[in-house]
């Protein structure tokens, strides 16, 4: 399977600041990456699909001006949480879609964001 | 709405006993079905998937799952549970030729020594 990294693994910030999270595909070029959000003891919620060289596709109810996604290269997608508030505190996980048949996604280790 | 359901929030099993984590689907057509495992404060690890063909799918760490079309189920099984199998397990489905995976609510597996 694919190897995916995320940076940072955890971040604490003050309310009103912006935080950037990086997702890297380490062993193949990923035209499509995904960003998920997971609240404690809950399932993953797809936030957006990140497409290399084009605008991200956001799920219904996700504010695109709040969660900025940039997929500037085939190995890197970034998620920026702008003007973060305590309710944005969550576990953010990215994934890449593998080129193998069957729409398999491989996930990064996640980033824990805490907004004070 | 098309979805997967994991009816059990938690499954407890003694080490060495067989384990089953249940998943049922309500999806039209022929879905892709997946199992992922999540350890605390970690991302998801791919266990196995069903695309087509043999209904019994074997995956990582000795896990397997059986695609049962008549019962619309894709239960995850392992013949002999290990304490290290204790984790959160997610069933997911993906529609053919789309990018999205839709996850179930997760089942916490606790294996006791």
């Amino acid at each position: 399977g694919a190897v995916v990294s995320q940076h940072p693994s955890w971040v604490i910030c003050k309310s009103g600041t912006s935080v950037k999270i990086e997702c890297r595909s380490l062993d193949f070029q990923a035209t499509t990456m995904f960003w998920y959000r997971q609240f404690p003891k809950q399932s993953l919620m797809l936030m957006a699909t990140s497409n290399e060289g084009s605008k991200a596709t956001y799920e219904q109810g996700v504010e695109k001006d709040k969660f900025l996604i940039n997929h500037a290269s085939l190995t890197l997608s970034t998620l920026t949480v702008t003007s973060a508030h305590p309710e944005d505190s969550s576990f953010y996980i990215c994934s890449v879609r593998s080129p193998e048949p069957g729409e398999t996604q491989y996930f990064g280790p996640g980033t824990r964001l805490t907004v004070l | 709405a098309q979805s997967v359901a994991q009816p059990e929030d938690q499954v407890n099993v003694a080490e060495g006993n067989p384990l089953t984590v249940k998943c049922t689907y309500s999806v039209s057509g022929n879905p892709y079905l997946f199992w992922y495992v999540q350890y605390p404060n970690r991302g998801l690890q791919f266990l196995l998937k069903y695309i087509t063909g043999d209904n019994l799918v074997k995956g990582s760490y000795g896990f397997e799952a059986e695609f049962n079309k008549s019962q619309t189920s894709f239960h995850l099984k392992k013949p002999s549970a290990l304490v290290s199998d204790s984790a959160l397990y997610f069933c997911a489905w993906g529609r053919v030729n789309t990018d999205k995976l839709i996850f179930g609510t997760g089942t916490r597996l606790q294996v006791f020594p």
Side-chain angles (χ1 to χ4, degrees):
Chain A
V3 181
V4 183
S5 70
Q6 276 184 246
H7 178 79
S9 56
W10 58 271
V11 57
I12 302 173
C13 69
K14 293 182 178 180
S15 185
T17 61
S18 295
V19 175
K20 180 185 284 188
I21 303 170
E22 294 184 347
C23 176
R24 292 184 185 274
S25 175
L26 298 182
D27 56 356
F28 75 94
Q29 295 179 326
T31 55
T32 304
M33 295 184 178
F34 304 89
W35 287 97
Y36 293 83
R37 185 173 180 178
Q38 185 181 30
F39 290 103
K41 299 184 179 181
Q42 293 190 24
S43 188
L44 278 72
M45 182 190 78
L46 178 65
M47 298 175 65
T49 302
S50 173
N51 302 297
E52 189 269 336
S54 64
K55 292 182 179 181
T57 304
Y58 290 82
E59 294 301 300
Q60 190 173 8
V62 177
E63 300 175 58
K64 57 184 178 182
D65 295 331
K66 172 77 171 175
F67 299 99
L68 300 178
I69 291 173
N70 185 285
H71 193 155
S73 78
L74 289 171
T75 58
L76 174 64
S77 176
T78 60
L79 168 68
T80 301
V81 183
T82 62
S83 186
H85 292 283
E87 57 266 30
D88 299 323
S89 298
S90 190
F91 195 52
Y92 292 88
I93 310 174
C94 72
S95 71
V96 302
R97 188 183 67 181
S98 168
E100 66 194 64
E103 316 293 342
T104 305
Q105 292 181 25
Y106 292 94
F107 288 79
T111 297
R112 172 79 55 197
L113 171 63
T114 302
V115 185
L116 302 176
Chain B
Q2 302 190 79
S3 65
V4 289
Q6 294 181 245
E8 302 158 318
D9 290 337
Q10 180 153 333
V11 170
N12 299 317
V13 64
E15 186 175 32
N17 283 1
L19 70 88
T20 299
V21 183
K22 295 180 180 178
C23 173
T24 59
Y25 64 92
S26 175
V27 177
S28 60
N30 298 315
Y32 295 152
L33 294 166
F34 302 81
W35 277 102
Y36 287 86
V37 59
Q38 185 180 32
Y39 295 97
N41 297 310
R42 302 290 297 276
L44 276 67
Q45 294 181 30
F46 171 75
L47 281 179
L48 52 82
K49 68 182 177 187
Y50 171 81
I51 304 175
T52 186
D54 194 350
N55 289 343
L56 183 64
V57 179
K58 293 187 182 296
S60 306
Y61 313 120
F63 285 94
E64 60 185 31
E66 184 172 10
F67 174 69
N68 188 318
K69 193 168 186 177
S70 62
Q71 297 185 4
T72 63
S73 67
F74 190 58
H75 301 332
L76 181 69
K77 298 185 178 184
K78 187 173 182 180
S80 179
L82 300 172
V83 173
S84 57
D85 292 330
S86 299
L88 189 57
Y89 290 80
F90 288 100
C91 179
W93 76 275
R95 196 192 303 275
V96 175
N97 294 326
T98 69
D99 289 334
K100 298 181 183 180
L101 286 184
I102 307 300
F103 286 85
T105 51
T107 299
R108 185 163 300 281
L109 173 67
Q110 190 71 48
V111 182
F112 295 94

